Structure formats: structure tokens, C-alpha cells
Amino acid sequence: MDKILEAGQWAPTAVNAQPQRILVLNTKESLVKVREFCTFGYDEKYAQLEKACDDKEHNQCVYYYGAPLVLFVCYDKDACWKHPESGESSGSTDATIVSTHMMLEAASIGLGTVWISYFDKDKARKLLELPDNWEPNNMLYIGYPAEDFVPNPKMSGKRFPIEHSVWYNTLK
């Protein structure tokens, strides 16, 4: 965990403001809270992605995956850089870069990650007792992949050809 958190610490942020605030959730009590704010109204298309998420009995989908560690990544709205002309905050971008660096470090040491940005932020704020100036950005579920893990073909491995997203010198 220390290596993963250090990778986030060294990630670049706008003007090196380092506004990321990471809450390590790794106790049974904390992970129960994650399960509470990471549920959604039942929708078959989500349940098809992962049967472990399917909870028809309670009319909801639960995104948890059984990970023993969740990094809840926020940014401090008061600490991030703001563009002097537009006032646009770097917070979300900074937190995203930090999360990406942590994911790459986790992968380099044989751990699997799942990036979750779709959760009830208000419920999370309340359950985790976040300060008002902390803005939730995403969560990283981290753990050892199951031995029989096979990436979901609907979600992984497909990439457009490079020409779909890269141009050289002109868009023509």
C-alpha cells in the first residue's frame, strides 16, 4: 500500500499544489460504508457486467467486487490551483492524474484495480464524514485478481485504431 500511495504522492499536479486527499478504506466497517454509497437502482445492463453486482432482492446493483482495499480519492477545493482568467480549478484533473499513477503502480506489483467514479457522492460525504472543502473524485478498488479472472469483453481490451484519436500537425 505504501508504494501505491507514494506513486500518488509523486504524481504531477498543477503548480505542484498537491490538492489530492486520499482516504484509505481497509477495515470491515469502512468497506461496508463503500457498499452503501456505491449502489444504484436496479438496471439489468449493469447486472450483466458482473453477477456479483446483481442484487434483485433489494432492487439495486452493488459495485464492490470484494476488494480488501479502497482508495477514496478527493481533492481539496481550497488547495488546488485555479486558472487566473477563467477560474477553472485543476482539482479534478489533479486527482485523476494521482489515481492513474496509483493504478499503474498497483499493476506493476501484481495487484488489480477497478476505477469507480459513479457513486452517490452526497451519501459518501456523509458516511465518511468528509470536510466540506474535500470534493470526491473517484475510488480505486485494489486487490489480487481472482485466479479465474477473465476481463469482461464489453469493458476491457477493445481499442480503436490509433488513427481514431491521434492526428499529426493537422486534422485533415
Side-chain angles (χ1 to χ4, degrees), residues 133-158:
N133 57 316
W134 283 27
E135 184 61 32
N137 192 72
N138 65 277
M139 295 183 289
L140 298 180
Y141 292 8
I142 302 174
Y144 290 102
E147 287 183 27
D148 61 349
F149 172 74
V150 176
N152 185 318
K154 294 180 186 178
M155 303 291 287
S156 301
K158 286 182 13 184

Side-chain angles (χ1 to χ4, degrees), residues 5 9 11 29 37 48 109 116 135 142 144 150:
L5 293 170
Q9 178 186 14
E29 296 78 22
F37 61 76
Q48 288 176 357
I109 57 178
I116 302 289
E135 184 61 32
I142 302 174
Y144 290 102
V150 176

